[in-house]
Amino acid sequence: MSPTTGLAALERHGALVPFTFERRALRPHDVALDIHYCGVCHTDLHMISKWGQEFPMVPGHEIVGKVRAVGAAVSKLAIGDSVAIGVMVDSCRECEACLAGEEIYCHAYPTNTYDGVDRVDGTRTRGGYSSDYVADERFVYRIPANLDLAATAPLLCAGVTTFSPLRHWKVGPGMTVGVVGIGGLGHLGVKFARALGARVVAFTTSASKAEAAFALGAHEVVLSKDDKQMAAQAGRLDFILDTVSATYPLDPVLRALKRDGTLCSVGLPDKFDLSSFTLAMGRRSLASSGAGGTNVTREMLEFCSANNIVADIELVRPADIATAFARLEKADVRYRFVLDMRR
Ligand code: NAP
């Protein structure tokens, strides 16, 4: 293999700097791809600042590219195919979750696309802010021909993380669904909920995003900092998809649920700020969800192909990653930065 070039944080809180490393030689079921695009997920910020295990760390788990080489036993992909990789690149493959194609819930924990530990040789995985990747074909997805490659990259994390709970909680016609936080995940949540046939209410802290949320497919937009607007939502919603990355007062949002409604928080805040009474008085459920296994990832890509859904992106050069991170921190992106790894 030739050396891989990328961007790495050399230490916790470190800035991303050019970094060179080696990818593994192809195993029989491996696919090597040249990376064209990689989405910038808020998780990348969390990983560099608090969750990361080992540095240098090369982030990136919304990867799109073209197959450059295949191992001897690869059967589903060929050189030249447009493919994608999401948040995981391996799992135990034996537990009940893996056998069900829900590898993200692998009982032995899936191997993360970056900062994970390779199950064969024990090395740290390095992500898609780089020129190429090598992964087992089970975790490499073919991209439907009608989807724009750059705008497909965010589907591999932001997309499946929002599509999966909407499908699990059977969102569809006749339901009113809230999506909280109109960022990378949330804007796709709005598009998916609308395409699934629900009435969609977008909740945003950013007045400047209100008009745009209608364009994404929201039927209604609520400014969540406005107490009056929040009170008017009480008892209306069947399901809420909360994508907010920070801890914030959940009670006003929970009160928007009908009796027996569910709020699924996928934003991974450090902790929840709520009163148990708000759950009790309405028999409401607070739930969460991981990104999604290989089955739902494939289903999501087919759904996107059939419904012409991709992310709204701002394409940036790797050299501009510091600006992109700073703007992402301030919720100032419409709606996902994607790195053009060929520039
Ligand atoms: P993002 O683009 O920054 O979007 C988050 C949005 O939340 C912001 O755009 C903002 O929307 C809203 N928000 C931010 N701070 C807020 C606050 N203090 N109070 C209320 N609203 C606030 O981030 P993302 O990439 O979508 O990721 C969101 C979170 O999901 C991250 O924490 C990430 O780690 C997590 N995540 C989880 C999984 C999983 O497996 N469950 C997978 C991927 C990502 P408005 O401007 O509209 O208010």
Side-chain angles (χ1 to χ4, degrees):
M1 297 291 294
S2 53
T4 297
T5 54
L7 294 172
L10 302 182
E11 59 196 355
R12 194 173 303 284
H13 300 293
L16 288 175
V17 294
F19 183 68
T20 303
F21 58 100
E22 294 280 330
R23 294 287 183 196
R24 68 182 184 233
L26 287 188
R27 298 170 188 155
H29 288 279
D30 275 351
V31 170
L33 56 135
D34 289 323
I35 298 177
H36 291 202
Y37 304 106
C38 187
V40 178
C41 181
H42 205 115
T43 300
D44 302 338
L45 295 179
H46 294 319
M47 288 293 288
I48 293 168
S49 64
K50 57 181 177 181
W51 294 339
Q53 301 287 310
E54 192 175 297
F55 295 84
M57 177 198 295
V58 180
H61 59 200
E62 295 183 338
I63 300 169
V64 158
K66 298 251 185 200
V67 175
R68 185 181 63 205
V70 294
V74 167
S75 59
K76 299 190 196 94
L77 296 168
I79 292 172
D81 285 350
S82 297
V83 293
I85 294 174
V87 302
M88 60 180 171
V89 286
D90 204 357
S91 66
C92 83
R93 307 176 188 214
E94 291 171 350
C95 71
E96 164 272 321
C98 288
L99 293 176
E102 296 232 67
E103 299 91 336
I104 198 76
Y105 305 114
C106 173
H107 297 186
Y109 203 79
T111 306
N112 291 333
T113 300
Y114 70 91
D115 200 33
V117 178
D118 183 83
R119 287 181 137 77
V120 176
D121 62 18
T123 57
R124 279 278 151 184
T125 56
R126 300 197 195 276
Y129 291 12
S130 60
S131 54
D132 54 85
Y133 203 99
V134 174
D136 187 298
E137 66 172 332
R138 174 171 174 152
F139 297 90
V140 181
Y141 309 93
R142 186 189 300 281
I143 300 175
N146 63 327
L147 298 183
D148 176 79
L149 286 189
T152 291
L155 300 178
L156 274 297
C157 174
V160 72
T161 303
T162 49
F163 183 78
S164 170
L166 292 171
R167 294 288 292 127
H168 180 78
W169 274 277
K170 300 186 170 44
V171 163
M175 293 174 79
T176 305
V177 169
V179 178
V180 186
I182 310 303
L185 268 61
H187 92 286
L188 285 166
V190 169
K191 290 187 185 201
F192 287 141
R194 175 73 186 239
L196 287 165
R199 181 165 185 84
V200 183
V201 183
F203 292 80
T204 180
T205 58
S206 308
S208 62
K209 289 183 185 170
E211 271 311 307
F214 286 114
L216 293 170
H219 295 92
E220 300 169 47
V221 179
V222 174
L223 288 177
S224 49
K225 286 180 172 163
D226 181 327
D227 295 344
K228 253 173 124 176
Q229 289 192 37
M230 290 303 288
Q233 296 301 314
R236 285 196 64 211
L237 305 179
D238 297 282
F239 179 77
I240 296 173
L241 180 67
D242 181 348
T243 71
V244 174
S245 48
T247 299
Y248 73 102
L250 263 190
D251 290 314
V253 180
L254 281 168
R255 284 190 208 105
L257 285 174
K258 288 179 181 166
R259 174 166 51 83
D260 290 330
T262 296
L263 182 147
C264 177
S265 166
V266 290
L268 304 176
D270 290 336
K271 57 183 178 162
F272 292 114
D273 171 1
L274 77 160
S275 156
S276 52
F277 282 90
T278 317
L279 290 179
M281 304 319 288
R283 202 163 50 198
R284 299 171 172 120
S285 299
L286 174 61
S288 189
S289 177
T294 53
N295 278 354
V296 74
T297 303
R298 276 191 294 271
E299 184 193 338
M300 182 263 316
L301 287 170
E302 283 160 23
F303 184 85
C304 288
S305 174
N307 292 279
N308 284 313
I309 292 176
V310 286
D312 290 16
I313 64 165
E314 293 189 40
L315 197 59
V316 291
R317 298 176 311 151
D320 295 328
I321 187 66
T323 312
F325 269 14
R327 285 184 53 201
L328 180 58
E329 200 105 58
K330 291 188 291 179
D332 173 28
V333 46
R334 302 293 174 87
Y335 288 90
R336 195 59 137 190
F337 287 117
V338 171
L339 296 174
D340 183 345
M341 295 311 305
R342 294 172 308 167
R343 290 169 69 195

